[in-house]
Amino acid sequence: MKSLAPRLAILLFAIVLVSVARRSRAEMWCGNGPGTALSHPCTDDDDNPAVSAAIEKYRDQWMKLDGVYDVDDNDTYHNRVPSIVVHVDSASLDSVRKQIPASVNGIPVVIVHGKMATARPAVGTAWGVGATDPEEVARRARKQEEQAQAEKSYNMVFHQYGERWEDLPGVIGMNAKCGDDGGCDFRTIEVTVQRELLSQARGEIPSSVNGEWILVIPED
């Protein structure tokens, strides 16, 4: 089992590098004003100055509240009502709602609850420590090997198709499918796309490649 750890660590490091590179290439698309068709990759000129100023004013204050892990805008591509989005851990939702107003400076504040992403346990920590039963050790070894193979296939798809897909209009990110518990299914890749350009992306991206399932999902 020990021989697997270095290979898994190197593979995970490579996947992180690839994921960062892929995400840096993806571009949001903007219209020429609220409600207009998405026509070009977004630039700083497309930012809503009133929303940006309000976020700058209140972000630090709200980020100090228990459970708040992000404050951002919901007007990136000028196709919706300008608003501020506050991301909150579900356990703190009621408390945060009492402390953050429904709007600031006439700009709606939308509170979105979920579970803040957590890092996956280090390789060997969750699977290799404390196991003494031979059958359990063998089962964990098989699970490690299956995970390594899934991550290898995932990484190959990123190398072969990632740049092509993220050059498509509206594609803003690619990741393994991960759950609220922090665990990830490396046999499934989620490609996130702006909803207005979803049909076009689905026409260009297959449902599976090399045994990897590809889910094209809308960004809301």
Side-chain angles (χ1 to χ4, degrees):
M1 288 183 62
K2 290 183 179 179
S3 62
L4 284 174
R7 287 192 294 139
L8 285 170
I10 293 171
L11 185 56
L12 285 172
F13 180 69
I15 289 171
V16 169
L17 290 180
V18 170
S19 180
V20 170
R22 292 285 91 79
R23 292 179 69 86
S24 68
R25 291 181 54 86
E27 294 180 301
M28 294 286 289
W29 274 48
C30 287
N32 293 317
T36 61
L38 306 185
S39 59
H40 60 275
C42 297
T43 68
D44 290 343
D45 292 336
D46 293 300
D47 290 342
N48 185 299
V51 173
S52 298
I55 291 175
E56 183 69 21
K57 181 177 180 180
Y58 294 101
R59 174 185 275 130
D60 289 346
Q61 174 185 337
W62 293 345
M63 289 290 289
K64 293 178 182 178
L65 300 177
D66 287 341
V68 175
Y69 58 89
D70 193 23
V71 178
D72 206 347
D73 66 82
N74 196 31
D75 186 42
T76 306
Y77 51 92
H78 289 194
N79 211 38
R80 302 172 182 159
V81 175
S83 60
I84 299 171
V85 181
V86 180
H87 295 270
V88 182
D89 189 271
S90 298
S92 303
L93 181 61
D94 292 339
S95 173
V96 170
R97 278 181 171 165
K98 295 176 182 178
Q99 299 178 75
I100 293 182
S103 66
V104 292
N105 303 337
I107 302 169
V109 178
V110 180
I111 297 178
V112 177
H113 67 93
K115 187 168 183 179
M116 182 166 48
T118 55
R120 298 174 65 220
V123 175
T125 301
W127 295 328
V129 176
T132 55
D133 180 72
E135 291 186 2
E136 177 64 13
V137 171
R139 185 188 69 81
R140 294 187 180 187
R142 288 194 299 270
K143 187 174 181 179
Q144 278 188 316
E145 187 62 34
E146 290 171 0
Q147 182 78 351
Q149 291 298 322
E151 293 178 11
K152 180 180 179 180
S153 176
Y154 169 89
N155 203 26
M156 288 176 62
V157 171
F158 261 88
H159 277 295
Q160 292 175 356
Y161 300 96
E163 290 187 12
R164 184 191 313 171
W165 293 346
E166 290 201 339
D167 281 341
L168 296 174
V171 174
I172 58 177
M174 294 174 58
N175 286 289
K177 181 180 180 181
C178 297
D180 290 341
D181 60 357
C184 295
D185 176 9
F186 285 91
R187 292 164 295 187
T188 303
I189 295 176
E190 293 185 335
V191 182
T192 307
V193 183
Q194 290 170 260
R195 185 178 291 277
E196 292 78 4
L197 298 169
L198 194 62
S199 296
Q200 180 178 342
R202 282 179 171 162
E204 299 284 344
I205 299 175
S207 60
S208 66
V209 174
N210 297 342
E212 294 279 326
W213 290 105
I214 314 297
L215 300 181
V216 179
I217 59 176
E219 183 276 337
D220 291 315

